[in-house]
């Protein structure tokens, strides 16, 4: 169950010359969802699916190297365990994430796991539009393509946590 009064924290990360990031804000929902003790990942999957972010969902962790997706936005929900995650690339900001936290990354936003508990379980989800790709920021030709594709990624019609009435569509359409 989500708390409809929950408001995301917003963060902007500038292009650092390696990781492009985005002019759209990252949304960090702390304690966005009360997770059941049994099957917490399924609860996040249900939330993402109900709010139009159920495409190509996965369960795993977060890569330990800086990476970004230049052709799709991504939602990450912490189902179990804890993680210290850096957003915005090598010079970004560090966040302590725990079960129930959800991070929404606009295309191009660098992210990496710095450290985590052994039981970390993350659910990833994507909106209907866009194409998954993985960029590591160590290839100048890849970066040039990313700078062209990132602004073309469509803004979703709904927020993965609060749906069509959530803050994402408005915040990302400025």
């Amino acid at each position: 169950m989500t708390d409809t009064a929950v408001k995301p924290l917003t963060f902007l990360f500038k292009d650092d010359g390696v990781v492009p990031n985005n002019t759209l804000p990252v949304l960090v929902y702390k304690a966005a969802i009360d997770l059941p003790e049994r099957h917490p990942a399924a609860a996040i999957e249900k939330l993402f699916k109900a709010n139009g972010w159920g495409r190509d969902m996965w369960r795993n962790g977060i890569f330990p190297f800086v990476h970004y997706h230049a052709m799709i936005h991504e939602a990450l929900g912490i189902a179990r365990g804890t993680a210290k995650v850096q957003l915005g690339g090598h010079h970004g900001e560090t966040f302590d994430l725990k079960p129930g936290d959800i991070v929404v990354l606009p295309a191009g936003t660098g992210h990496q796991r710095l450290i985590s508990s052994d039981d970390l379980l993350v659910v990833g989800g994507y909106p209907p539009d866009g194409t998954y790709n993985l960029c590591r920021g160590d290839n100048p030709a890849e970066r040039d393509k990313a700078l062209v594709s990132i602004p073309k990624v469509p803004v979703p019609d709904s927020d993965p946590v609060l749906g069509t009435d959530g803050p994402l569509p408005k915040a990302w359409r400025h």
Side-chain angles (χ1 to χ4, degrees):
M1 182 85 37
T2 58
D3 176 357
T4 55
V6 69
K7 301 257 189 265
L9 303 171
T10 59
F11 300 89
L12 283 171
F13 299 104
K14 294 182 189 284
D15 184 333
D16 67 7
V18 176
V19 175
N21 290 303
N22 201 310
T23 59
L24 304 176
V26 170
L27 305 179
V28 177
Y29 285 94
K30 300 299 283 181
I33 181 173
D34 291 327
L35 296 173
E37 204 168 301
R38 292 175 46 119
H39 311 296
I44 294 172
E45 290 166 344
K46 182 178 177 184
L47 177 67
F48 285 177
K49 190 176 286 186
N51 291 318
W53 283 69
R55 185 172 141 214
D56 300 330
M57 284 189 289
W58 50 265
R59 294 180 184 187
N60 205 332
I62 299 170
F63 290 129
F65 52 85
V66 174
H67 65 286
Y68 60 93
H69 313 291
M71 299 168 66
I72 199 161
H73 307 298
E74 182 175 52
L76 302 173
I78 308 300
R80 190 173 51 239
T82 59
K84 187 176 290 282
V85 175
Q86 187 165 14
L87 303 179
H90 297 287
H91 306 291
E93 192 166 332
T94 303
F95 296 82
D96 291 312
L97 302 177
K98 62 183 190 211
D101 292 349
I102 294 175
V103 177
V104 188
L105 303 168
T109 303
H111 52 292
Q112 79 176 106
R113 172 184 47 83
L114 300 175
I115 192 166
S116 67
S117 60
D118 291 339
D119 62 342
L120 179 66
L121 179 60
V122 179
V123 173
Y126 305 93
D129 297 318
T131 303
Y132 180 87
N133 71 329
L134 180 69
C135 304
R136 291 181 67 142
D138 55 2
N139 179 339
E142 183 178 78
R143 177 182 159 72
D144 290 344
K145 287 181 188 174
L147 290 172
V148 172
S149 65
I150 290 168
K152 295 178 182 175
V153 178
V155 172
D157 291 328
S158 70
D159 182 292
V161 176
L162 298 173
T164 55
D165 293 331
L168 182 145
K170 189 177 199 178
W172 283 13
R173 286 195 171 92
H174 355 206

